[in-house]
Amino acid sequence: MKASRLLFGLRFFLALALVAVTMAVSCPQPEPEPEPEPGPETKTTERKQFEAAVVEGLYVKGLRVLSYDGVTFQRAVNPIRRNYRIQSDDQSRYLNVHYSDRIPSRESEEVECEIHYKLEAGESTTLIVKLVVIQVNDEYIWLWNEFQKVGVLAHKL
């Protein structure tokens, strides 16, 4: 008696499992979301402010926080070391950009950079960030990171 109940229960469980698997396999898959149509690129206010910049330096959230001044600053450009630097004569303020593997030269190129900067005496900041070239002219290159809202308007190497 017990064996027949056990056999019945096992058969019932197997039949139920077979029905469940069959239903799961036969369910239609959801339709994937259609890709959105490419539209005009929306630029943030900070990026627009940076694109309009004409003064060499460091920009954070669209605002210039450190700028090159030919009277009280020095500029060092080293293409071999892939390094760009501006610093005040007393070195109290500086911006140092090291391009990791190559120097970008065309719009839309991406490059990882190590950026060191000091805005006031005593505090220095280091960022390792991927920047995108958003503008280039004969003399300067505009590098931007949308996520951190950081931009560097640098003299070309």
Side-chain angles (χ1 to χ4, degrees), residues 91-94 115-127:
Q91 296 185 15
S92 63
R93 296 178 300 147
Y94 62 83
I115 300 173
H116 299 278
Y117 67 91
K118 185 175 180 182
L119 303 178
E120 300 297 328
E123 284 197 36
S124 64
T125 303
T126 300
L127 298 171

Side-chain angles (χ1 to χ4, degrees), residues 54-56 68 75 84 135-142 153-156:
V54 294
V55 178
E56 193 174 342
Y68 174 74
R75 177 193 306 129
Y84 162 79
Q135 220 171 282
V136 179
N137 68 20
D138 292 340
E139 198 172 353
Y140 297 104
I141 187 165
W142 284 254
L153 195 159
H155 199 276
K156 285 172 97 177

Side-chain angles (χ1 to χ4, degrees), residues 81-143:
R81 292 186 177 168
R82 301 179 316 274
N83 203 61
Y84 162 79
R85 181 178 177 89
I86 58 174
Q87 67 185 33
S88 61
D89 290 339
D90 64 0
Q91 296 185 15
S92 63
R93 296 178 300 147
Y94 62 83
L95 167 66
N96 189 68
V97 179
H98 177 74
Y99 300 99
S100 62
D101 57 349
R102 61 185 167 68
I103 300 168
S105 60
R106 293 184 310 258
E107 284 186 27
S108 300
E109 279 188 292
E110 293 183 354
V111 64
E112 189 173 295
C113 294
E114 188 173 322
I115 300 173
H116 299 278
Y117 67 91
K118 185 175 180 182
L119 303 178
E120 300 297 328
E123 284 197 36
S124 64
T125 303
T126 300
L127 298 171
I128 297 175
V129 65
K130 186 176 281 189
L131 299 169
V132 177
V133 178
I134 60 170
Q135 220 171 282
V136 179
N137 68 20
D138 292 340
E139 198 172 353
Y140 297 104
I141 187 165
W142 284 254
L143 300 157

Side-chain angles (χ1 to χ4, degrees), residues 13-54:
F13 176 74
L14 288 174
L16 190 60
L18 181 63
V19 169
V21 168
T22 304
M23 288 177 64
V25 170
S26 66
C27 287
Q29 296 295 319
E31 292 292 321
E33 292 278 330
E35 291 290 322
E37 293 294 321
E41 183 180 335
T42 25
K43 297 179 182 176
T44 59
T45 304
E46 294 89 354
R47 178 172 169 169
K48 289 177 187 175
Q49 290 172 325
F50 177 64
E51 285 177 339
V54 294

